[in-house]
Structures are given as C-alpha cells and as structure tokens.
Amino acid sequence: MNFHVISHTHWDREWHQTYQQYRVKLVRFMDELIELLENSPKYTSFMLDGQTIVLEDYLEVKPHKKEAIAKLVQEGRLLVGPWYIQPDEFIPSGESLVRNLLIGQQIAWDFGPSMQIGYLPDSFGQAAQIPQVLKGFGMDKALFWRGITDEETEKTEFWWEGPDGSKVLTTHLPLGYGNGRMISTDLEGNLEMLDENMEALEDKVTSNNMLLMCGFDQRSAIKELPEIVEHLNGHFTSEGSEHAVKFSQLEEYFNAVKEEAENLETLSGEFRKGKDMRVHVSIASTRLDLKKQNYEVQNLYEKYVEPLNSMSFLFGNNYDNAIINQGWKYTLQNHAHDSICNVCTDVTHKEMEMRYHYASQIGETVRSDATNDLIGKINFNHAKGTPLIVFNTLGNKRENIVEATVQLKSETFTIVDPNGESVPYQVVESCYENLNDKQIEIGVKNEDQYVWTTKFKFHADVPGLGYKTYYIKENTASVEESSNVYQDGVFSNDFFEAEIQPNGSLTVKEHASGNVFHELNLFEESGNAGDEYDFSPPREDVVITTKNSTPGVSVVQNGPLFATVKIVHALDVPVDTDVNGRSKETKPMMIDTYVTVNRHEDRIDLKTVIDNTVKNHRVRALFDTGINSETHIADQQFGTIRRENYLPQVEYWEEEKWEEKYYPIYPQQKFVDVSDDEKGLAILNKGLPQYEILNSQEPVVALTMLCGTDYMGKQDLVDRPGRRSGLHVETPDSSLLGKHEMEYSIIPHSGTEVDAEIGRKANEFTTSMVAVQVDHPTETRVYDDEMSFVKMDHPQAAISAVKKCEDEDGIIVRIYNTTYQEISEIKTNINNEFFKNVELVDLNERPLDDTDERLTIRDYEIVIDRMRSNEVLTFKLTN
C-alpha cells in the first residue's frame, strides 16, 4: 500500500470561540508554519484547509509576511484555495457558492497557484449541485467526509455526478480528515496507527493508494513529519514490506487514483446520511433569525445590488467590484459550516449578525447610489406627470403587484402608463407630514415642506431585466375596479377562491381545474429537547395544534387589487422542555398571521409573527396537500431535486446504531412542491430553509417557523443518542424569545411544478419589483423611459446573476434551468445598443475552449437548443 501523508490543518474560523480568539491562535500557527517551511526544505508541502480567508486574517495582523507566503505558494509547498471559506453546502444560495470559489481563487492567485480540488472536509452533508459548481471552475476532483454510507458505495473512490451530468473524481474519508493525526516519532505507535487504517480501509480503497490525513482542528504542523516518513520507509524496506509512505499532496494522490478511474462506479445526488458520522439532518432549523438575515443579504446582492449596478454601468456610470465584493465577503464569512448552521456561542452569533449588518449597509448604499446614477441618465417626460420608475431585475417579463411610496402635494392622484392609459391602484396607508423633520439643518433653519406620503400598490408589467416608467398626475381621481378581493370570509381573484375556516386554516379552490385543498396553514407547536445541532423531541411530548382553535379574524386591507386579513391565535404552551418531557406550567403565546391575496396573482402570501414566550420548543406551519405521491420536489441552489417522502432508514437506524436518526426532514432554497400529473401545491418561502414531509404517501408539508434551544450541545438525545456535539455551553439567544416574523406563500396549481412554472414564480415572490419616485428633471437626458437590457421569457429558465466582469468592462449573465428536466429552445434577447459580442465563459468568467453545439448567437439573440437538468450557463456580454 502507498500511504499518501497529507500535512494539513482544519481551521474553524469561529465556533465555540470567537473569530478574534481563534485569530490569536492563527497568528501563532502561521508564524510557526512559515518558519518551519522556510527552514526545513524536506517539509515539501502543507495544505491550508482549502480556504484562503486564513491568509487575509493573518496578513491583516502581519502584512509584512505576504512575500514569504507568496514564495512558499509559488514553490508549491504551501497549498492555498480554492474556497474563500469552508462552506455549508445547503443553506447558502447557488450564487454564494460561486462567489465563495470566485473570491477564494482571486485571493489564491494573488500569491500563486490555487489548489484545484473541491476540498470539503467537514461540511454537514454534501449537496447534489457541488459537482457542477466545481466543474464550472475547471475542477474535476473532490474530497469530503460526511454524509455517505455503504448503502451508496462500499468504496472510497467514485465518480460523483451532478444533475446536469457534470462528473468529478471523488474520494470520501470514512475515518474523517484526521485519520493520521496521531502520527509521531514513536515507530511502534505509527505502525499500530497504520494497521488500524489498513483494517478499516483496505477493502474500501480502489487502488493501491490510501490517504493519511495528518492534521486536525486548529492543529499545528507536525515538525518531525519528514523524518517520521523516512523512518517508516526505512522500517518497511528492512522488513521487505511492499508498503511505502510518501510525503504527498492531494493532487499527487488523485493522479495515482486516476489509473483506476475507468473502473469506478458513478453516484449522483446528495449525501445526507448520518450512519457513520453525524450530518445533523435537522440543523437547518437553528437560529432561523440569522438564517433569515442570510437570505435577505444574499437576495440584496444577487437581485438588486448587482443587476441595478449593471444597468447603471451600461449607462456610463461607475461599477465598483471591490466594494461589492467586500459586502460579499462579510456575507461569505458567515457561510462557514459551523457559522451558518448556527452551532456557535451567543457571542459568536452576535458577531455574525454584525457582519450581516455590514453587508447590508454596504449593499443598500451601493444600490441607492447606482439607482440614482441610473435615473440621472433617463429622459423622462415630466409633462405626463411625476415619473415613477419600476425596475425588474429578473430576466423574464413580469406582471406583478408592486408597492410604491411617493411624496406629493396632493392626497389624490392617478397613475398612467407610458401610453397614457390609467392604471388602478390601492392605497395601503397615507399621512400628511413635514419633510423638514427628516432633514439635517446646517447653519440655518430649513423651510417647512408639507407633503402627503402615500404607500400604495398597483399592477405593473415590466420587461425583462429593465425598467418601465409610470407617471403620477396629482389632484385627479383614481380609477377603481368594481369589487373587493375579500368578501364574506372568502378571497376571490382571477385564479382561485380561498376561504378562512373557523380554525384559521385555509381552504382553496382553483377556478380552472376545480381542485380543492383543505387545512392549509395549520400551526403545530411541540417540544424540543435538542440542541443547536439537532431538533430532537422529548421522550414524552405534548403537541399542540390549531386544528381545534378559534382564532380572531379581522380585515386589515380590502380593495379591488388586494386584501389582507389578520388571523390571531392565542396558544397556551409549556414553558420548557427537557429530554424526558414538557413542563406542566404554561404561558400564552400569540401567533398573528396576515393573509394577503392579490387579484392578478396566483399566490396566497402569508406573513406570520410569533411572539415567542417559552424555551425549547418548535413551531411549524402545516399544509395538507391531499395528493397521493411517494416523492416531492424541492428547490436547490440551481434548479430542483426530487426527494422521497418516506425514508426506510427511519425503521432500522437505531438497530444498526446509526449516529443519528435519518428521516424526511430536508433543507430547501425557495420552495417545496408536492404534485401529481393533475394537481400540485407549492409552498414558497423567504429565508425558511427547512421542511419535513409528514404522512408519507399522503404528504403534509411541515414548514419550520421557529425552533428554540438553550444549549450548544447535549448528550443522549432521542434522535441522536450518545455523545454530544459541540460543547455543553448555554446559548440563551438560541431560545429565540421575543417577536419573529416569517414570510411564505402558497400556490395551488394544476399539473406538475414544471407545468405551473413554480421556479419562475418563486423568483418573483422572493424578488419584488422596485418602484422609485423621480422628483426633478435630469440635466443629462440620454436614454428612454422604458428599457430592457436582457429579455429571457422561457417559463422554465431564469437568470441567477447579472454583474460586471471581475477583470474587464463586460457584463456577466448567468442562466440556469429551474427544473430537473431537460428544456429546449431557450431564447434570450440582448439589447444591441449596449452589447455587440456574446461569449460563453466558465464560472471563473474565463472563455471556454470548447464550442457548445447547442448554442447559436445571431441578431442579438442567444438561442440555446437545449439545457440539461439544473444546468448553469454563463455568458459574457461586451460592446
């Protein structure tokens, strides 16, 4: 056997200690490592955990060490990259994973070559999209630890295939990333350690090569490693053994394994089984307040900051990649697997919250400046009235309700489209106020400026990736439609009727098909004896639902365009839970749900506010699909994944002594959908990354709304017996006491989720159009008051990114298939006023060498003959 000794460390940037506490150790570690490599030529390489953020963190303290690090990287002795930070693979968005690698490799290239291996030693399970993301960056090798079992393969090497057909040569680490960490100057101990590895792995490896990962959490380099390797080889030679030990690198190991590549099996999909090592299948429920902030910041950058800056840039304004990427960095720093999964101390989570604030502050400022600069180049027709410009940052043409806030001299007004046609609207709220109260006074007192500030909604249709200007005429009467959306306890619109039942749930009947869905948005409250890593019920639970509740119901808004009704549940719930059961003492807990239906949209939008008064419990919203199905569809980073409603491992995980229970509780991005060929039900969300499928073949979707716990780690849980994960540290902030607001939506539909275009509709739900009032005429009048830069109206394709190129003055447009099915004839029109050249590039924004025969570019139209399941294609547009 050839033992490939890999010298490395696994560096948790934050966890049970804060970033700064760990950084003190990092500085000492790096000082020692640099000195070791500079003074020990036989120490041929050290792997810096596949993440470049450690270089940034170190050099911020000791910038004078950059040249020394660069020399070691260029010599191939210090291996850096490819990630910016070791990510969780399920909660970050697809664009976040792309930016993680894009920024990580930019940093690595500043020193020398980047390691081109998808190194994921400690992520809590492996996402199905990873092979495609890696191949998009030119990487064809991956290595990971958690999530795979002998139910998938009994071998350590295999081809891992993504849903689009991308394949990467993959090794998993059954013994983790520290199977050689006990190596020392003790020959007998080393031989015993090698024997243990042989016993565990000899039948699993597919070649005469075995990885010996010599490192661990926050572990310094083993200084004597070259001599240890020499002594071991000397011993094997003297014994006539065929064993050999090599001070190696992962690239050398994979080159050796490649000789057997054609004989390897191919696996596909995600790996989330906690048989041999925990993946913490329910981890997506912890600290949903922070996970919601993550969603909001990601969405801000992907759907507003970058697209609006791109539009402004095409009008000749500035686009500053550096400041935008700084906002991305603050966000990505929270995507470390321990961080975004929220298995940290309270003080660490507070620092995460500050980074989200930093990213949001940068993003909102950059977005505002770009919007103002863009507006300054548009030729508005002020004779028509006060301009109200509406931006659509998605690729498809949209016809949605948009919310606007304007400040006018008059309380009454009308809205007209560019053709002068009146547009109905509905007022949300209005007040008479003095703008002087909101402005700084410098030297002199400002004059009073009294205006009517009015928030209202109207139905807008705006072309793909562009804008359209409506005009407001003051002192004129608005146009009213005849009937209100909500009448006699029933919402009625163009698509369905939704009736509020006595228990507060919804019954929905589709107009076109006649399909009826019952008991939508019931609430379930139950005990949580788990910790930050996992939800786990007490041995004797008390489950409270709103099935027999009698909530208060009141109308908040009702008009011709939309209606909002408030449903108030008051539940008496146990004040605490432990592993044995729930307390007898109870407290009232209020659940307020605002149900909104728009006349021209096929969604039922819900905003639920939970005033949490107790600890260690979970609240979920339940949706009975009424559909007979064994599987369902969930949104993943790019496109969707089909999952099982029932997992048979739930019956034998305890008997086989799995590390944790395996059951159908799953992560998601924007939606989950249950459907058959005739009807379906989609549940969309804004930053609620977890759901469970109940009742197997007659599935009920359980959407996790709130899950509180009081400790980082606990022992002997019902669903995770034995040792604890993490430390037994109190985390009172994870109890989530106080008010928490969640937004989600219901779409009943005919046919499958593909027929109903749920992928597109989920993007529209999570990405509202933006309306901006234009107060003054612009001096530089150049561009029309309606514009589309890129139009893509295929119902199953979407744009995930519009941004300026990192290194040149082009625009990157990334398109993906929102479904798991192949789609055809995807046509994308580009505005020839701004774009003359189109080039297919990889995720590194570098031109692809191979010509894609599916692609035709003609007359400023990109025609993609077909796109594979979940496929991502990236284009560079230049003038």
Side-chain angles (χ1 to χ4, degrees):
M1 183 65 67
N2 296 315
F3 295 99
H4 290 258
V5 172
I6 308 297
S7 184
H8 76 101
T9 190
H10 177 60
W11 203 269
D12 293 303
R13 190 173 187 256
E14 60 188 9
W15 181 24
H16 57 82
Q17 291 187 343
T18 65
Y19 155 53
Q20 296 295 355
Q21 288 171 320
Y22 274 133
R23 182 151 79 163
V24 173
K25 298 178 182 179
L26 174 67
V27 170
R28 294 172 183 167
F29 159 80
M30 287 294 297
D31 283 345
E32 293 175 359
L33 178 63
I34 293 168
E35 181 181 3
L36 172 65
L37 294 176
E38 287 179 334
N39 296 324
S40 303
K42 290 184 178 181
Y43 214 105
T44 53
S45 68
F46 188 90
M47 184 174 66
L48 211 50
D49 202 30
Q51 51 180 337
T52 57
I53 194 169
V54 292
L55 299 177
E56 279 194 338
D57 292 343
Y58 174 67
L59 291 173
E60 187 176 305
V61 177
K62 296 196 173 182
H64 61 281
K65 290 289 189 178
K66 182 174 182 180
E67 185 176 338
I69 291 174
K71 184 174 184 295
L72 293 169
V73 173
Q74 290 158 19
E75 292 172 350
R77 298 178 63 213
L78 186 60
L79 306 178
V80 299
W83 299 97
Y84 179 58
I85 198 164
Q86 278 290 343
D88 174 70
E89 298 175 33
F90 292 100
I91 297 170
S93 67
E95 283 301 320
S96 291
L97 292 176
V98 170
R99 306 316 166 86
N100 197 330
L101 282 170
L102 186 66
I103 292 173
Q105 292 194 95
Q106 285 176 348
I107 294 170
W109 292 333
D110 193 36
F111 294 88
S114 172
M115 187 174 76
Q116 290 298 99
I117 294 170
Y119 183 61
L120 293 158
D122 204 21
S123 299
F124 299 130
Q126 317 303 320
Q129 294 278 6
I130 293 298
Q132 178 173 208
V133 173
L134 295 178
K135 285 298 287 284
F137 282 93
M139 301 179 205
D140 57 6
K141 297 175 280 292
L143 183 144
F144 65 78
W145 175 22
R146 300 177 190 262
I148 201 166
T149 73
D150 54 10
E151 293 185 348
E152 288 75 47
T153 180
E154 295 182 348
K155 300 300 181 181
T156 52
E157 290 80 39
F158 55 92
W159 289 101
W160 186 11
E161 185 175 35
D164 73 326
S166 299
K167 284 186 178 182
V168 292
L169 179 60
T170 302
T171 290
H172 81 99
L173 303 168
L175 303 181
Y177 53 81
N179 65 315
R181 68 182 181 275
M182 301 307 292
I183 202 166
S184 70
T185 56
D186 176 17
L187 178 62
E188 292 303 318
N190 291 338
L191 293 175
E192 184 178 343
M193 179 266 296
L194 291 178
D195 286 342
E196 290 172 355
N197 275 274
M198 285 289 290
E199 183 178 354
L201 300 176
E202 187 175 18
D203 293 337
K204 293 180 178 293
V205 297
T206 58
S207 70
N208 196 37
N209 298 277
M210 185 180 293
L211 278 173
L212 209 61
M213 304 295 291
C214 295
F216 205 61
D217 297 2
Q218 267 72 16
R219 185 71 64 87
S220 296
I222 302 169
K223 296 180 180 180
E224 303 84 5
L225 199 54
E227 290 75 21
I228 294 171
V229 170
E230 287 182 7
H231 290 160
L232 280 168
N233 282 323
H235 170 79
F236 290 137
T237 300
S238 67
E239 294 289 320
S241 171
E242 294 183 356
H243 290 332
V245 183
K246 178 179 176 58
F247 201 141
S248 189
Q249 300 180 9
L250 289 182
E251 189 70 37
E252 294 178 82
Y253 162 78
F254 274 108
N255 286 338
V257 170
K258 272 185 179 178
E259 297 178 9
E260 298 293 326
E262 64 182 29
N263 300 320
L264 299 180
E265 59 188 321
T266 297
L267 306 180
S268 60
E270 60 189 3
F271 305 121
R272 301 183 61 248
K273 292 179 180 177
K275 179 180 181 180
D276 304 307
M277 178 46 63
R278 297 166 179 175
V279 299
H280 306 294
V281 290
S282 57
I283 202 168
S285 65
T286 307
R287 286 304 298 263
L288 286 173
D289 57 332
L290 289 174
K291 289 181 171 70
K292 181 184 176 186
Q293 287 184 49
N294 178 68
Y295 152 78
E296 291 169 345
V297 171
Q298 286 179 161
N299 210 47
L300 170 64
Y301 278 80
E302 295 170 22
K303 303 306 183 188
Y304 299 104
V305 172
E306 291 180 336
L308 289 169
N309 267 266
S310 297
M311 295 182 201
S312 183
F313 174 72
L314 293 171
F315 280 0
N317 297 314
N318 181 54
Y319 189 117
D320 193 337
N321 267 323
I323 190 63
I324 292 174
N325 282 345
Q326 183 59 52
W328 268 114
K329 283 182 177 181
Y330 284 128
T331 305
L332 295 173
Q333 287 164 16
N334 287 347
H335 286 179
H337 50 287
D338 292 319
S339 302
I340 189 61
C341 291
N342 301 121
V343 293
C344 305
T345 61
D346 280 352
V347 66
T348 298
H349 286 149
K350 283 183 170 69
E351 292 183 1
M352 286 182 62
E353 190 169 18
M354 284 308 303
R355 288 195 286 268
Y356 285 133
H357 287 322
Y358 293 154
S360 181
Q361 290 162 8
I362 290 172
E364 291 291 358
T365 303
V366 172
R367 175 172 82 158
S368 177
D369 289 349
T371 304
N372 290 335
D373 292 342
L374 193 163
I375 288 172
K377 296 292 183 72
I378 297 174
N379 184 12
F380 297 106
N381 187 345
H382 288 266
K384 293 182 179 179
T386 301
L388 183 65
I389 184 170
V390 181
F391 293 99
N392 172 18
T393 59
L394 301 181
N396 56 286
K397 178 182 177 182
R398 297 184 62 174
E399 297 185 23
N400 295 115
I401 296 291
V402 62
E403 185 176 276
T405 299
V406 297
Q407 294 174 330
L408 305 170
K409 297 291 180 63
S410 170
E411 185 178 11
T412 60
F413 57 91
T414 57
I415 304 174
V416 297
D417 65 16
N419 297 320
E421 297 292 327
S422 294
V423 177
Y425 69 90
Q426 184 176 327
V427 173
V428 177
E429 59 185 13
S430 182
C431 68
Y432 193 57
E433 62 179 348
N434 188 354
L435 295 184
N436 182 25
D437 297 334
K438 299 181 179 181
Q439 297 174 347
I440 296 174
E441 293 183 324
I442 302 176
V444 296
K445 179 180 179 295
N446 294 336
E447 294 184 3
D448 291 335
Q449 301 178 62
Y450 286 98
V451 297
W452 284 97
T453 298
T454 304
K455 181 189 292 186
F456 61 94
K457 294 182 180 182
F458 67 102
H459 188 74
D461 63 278
V462 185
L465 194 66
Y467 59 82
K468 182 175 181 177
T469 305
Y470 294 80
Y471 290 92
I472 300 172
K473 296 181 177 180
E474 298 192 50
N475 295 306
T476 53
S478 61
V479 177
E480 295 286 346
E481 293 192 28
S482 54
S483 60
N484 289 339
V485 170
Y486 183 73
Q487 297 184 64
D488 301 323
V490 178
F491 297 94
S492 297
N493 69 4
D494 298 344
F495 304 96
F496 53 74
E497 289 185 351
E499 182 177 1
I500 299 174
Q501 299 301 312
N503 64 5
S505 69
L506 298 172
T507 297
V508 181
K509 179 179 180 180
E510 268 195 291
H511 291 324
S513 66
N515 292 327
V516 181
F517 299 86
H518 301 279
E519 292 197 339
L520 304 182
N521 204 48
L522 283 173
F523 292 104
E524 172 204 85
E525 190 272 350
S526 62
N528 177 24
D531 52 26
E532 287 189 330
Y533 287 86
D534 285 294
F535 165 84
S536 185
R539 293 187 178 94
E540 293 186 15
D541 203 357
V542 174
V543 179
I544 299 167
T545 76
T546 59
K547 190 175 181 66
N548 298 314
S549 178
T550 307
V553 178
S554 59
V555 178
V556 178
Q557 295 277 341
N558 195 12
L561 284 183
F562 75 95
T564 299
V565 174
K566 181 180 181 182
I567 303 171
V568 178
H569 292 279
L571 303 180
D572 284 325
V573 297
V575 299
D576 207 350
T577 302
D578 61 27
V579 72
N580 293 314
R582 308 195 70 184
S583 62
K584 297 189 182 306
E585 181 186 355
T586 64
K587 278 187 180 181
M589 181 183 72
M590 306 300 295
I591 302 178
D592 299 343
T593 298
Y594 299 83
V595 183
T596 298
V597 172
N598 298 312
R599 178 174 296 280
H600 305 299
E601 295 182 344
D602 62 355
R603 301 192 317 255
I604 303 168
D605 294 341
L606 301 106
K607 180 174 72 174
T608 292
V609 180
I610 299 175
D611 189 358
N612 185 33
T613 56
V614 305
K615 300 191 301 181
N616 294 315
H617 72 140
R618 180 175 67 178
V619 181
R620 303 196 289 186
L622 307 182
F623 306 88
D624 189 346
T625 67
I627 295 169
N628 191 285
S629 175
E630 295 182 352
T631 62
H632 65 279
I633 295 294
D635 186 49
Q636 55 181 348
Q637 278 92 353
F638 296 107
T640 57
I641 185 169
R642 183 174 290 279
R643 289 169 169 155
E644 300 294 322
N645 295 344
Y646 172 74
L647 299 175
Q649 292 84 357
V650 74
E651 298 182 17
Y652 59 77
W653 73 275
E654 287 182 289
E655 180 183 343
E656 293 190 358
K657 300 187 184 309
W658 284 38
E659 285 281 323
E660 62 186 4
K661 182 180 178 180
Y662 186 56
Y663 62 111
I665 193 165
Y666 294 110
Q668 65 176 338
Q669 289 287 315
K670 296 184 289 293
F671 69 87
V672 57
D673 183 278
V674 178
S675 60
D676 55 23
D677 291 336
E678 296 182 358
K679 66 178 181 178
L681 188 73
I683 310 301
L684 286 51
N685 77 89
K686 294 183 179 180
L688 295 171
Q690 186 188 85
Y691 68 94
E692 184 179 354
I693 298 295
L694 309 176
N695 290 4
S696 187
Q697 289 188 323
E698 297 179 355
V700 172
V701 177
L703 181 66
T704 306
M705 312 286 282
L706 181 146
C707 190
T709 183
D710 55 357
Y711 273 86
M712 177 194 290
K714 299 178 182 178
Q715 297 176 344
D716 297 319
L717 303 182
V718 171
D719 286 354
R720 199 195 69 213
R723 67 172 180 87
R724 67 172 181 268
S725 292
L727 295 179
H728 191 59
V729 176
E730 286 190 87
T731 54
D733 288 354
S734 289
S735 293
L736 296 184
L737 300 176
K739 288 189 176 181
H740 298 275
E741 180 181 296
M742 288 68 68
E743 291 184 78
Y744 49 108
S745 189
I746 305 168
I747 299 183
H749 61 84
S750 302
T752 68
E753 87 291 341
V754 177
D755 300 328
E757 304 173 16
I758 298 300
R760 173 182 63 81
K761 293 172 182 177
N763 284 332
E764 291 179 351
F765 172 64
T766 56
T767 308
S768 301
M769 291 192 287
V770 177
V772 180
Q773 178 183 353
V774 181
D775 293 319
H776 306 292
T778 54
E779 296 180 3
T780 309
R781 303 180 181 186
V782 181
Y783 297 103
D784 293 342
D785 62 356
E786 182 174 356
M787 181 80 70
S788 174
F789 297 91
V790 177
K791 288 189 291 187
M792 186 187 64
D793 288 330
H794 192 286
Q796 277 82 44
I799 290 176
S800 71
V802 180
K803 63 180 288 289
K804 180 181 171 294
C805 296
E806 294 294 309
D807 300 323
E808 57 182 290
D809 288 345
I811 295 295
I812 293 294
V813 175
R814 192 154 24 252
I815 297 171
Y816 72 102
N817 178 357
T818 65
T819 77
Y820 65 93
Q821 300 177 2
E822 183 176 284
I823 59 176
S824 59
E825 285 295 303
I826 303 96
K827 297 180 180 179
T828 303
N829 295 101
I830 59 175
N831 192 321
N832 62 7
E833 185 175 357
F834 304 99
F835 305 118
K836 299 294 189 294
N837 302 299
V838 180
E839 193 173 16
L840 189 62
V841 297
D842 63 14
L843 295 179
N844 257 328
E845 303 178 7
R846 294 174 172 176
L848 290 170
D849 296 330
D850 299 331
T851 301
D852 195 322
E853 76 283 353
R854 300 171 299 162
L855 185 66
T856 305
I857 301 169
R858 59 172 183 260
D859 298 329
Y860 307 107
E861 183 180 61
I862 304 170
V863 181
I864 306 168
D865 179 54
R866 65 189 184 281
M867 288 185 75
R868 294 184 284 269
S869 164
N870 295 264
E871 186 175 14
V872 177
L873 295 174
T874 305
F875 297 90
K876 180 171 69 177
L877 311 181
T878 54
N879 195 343

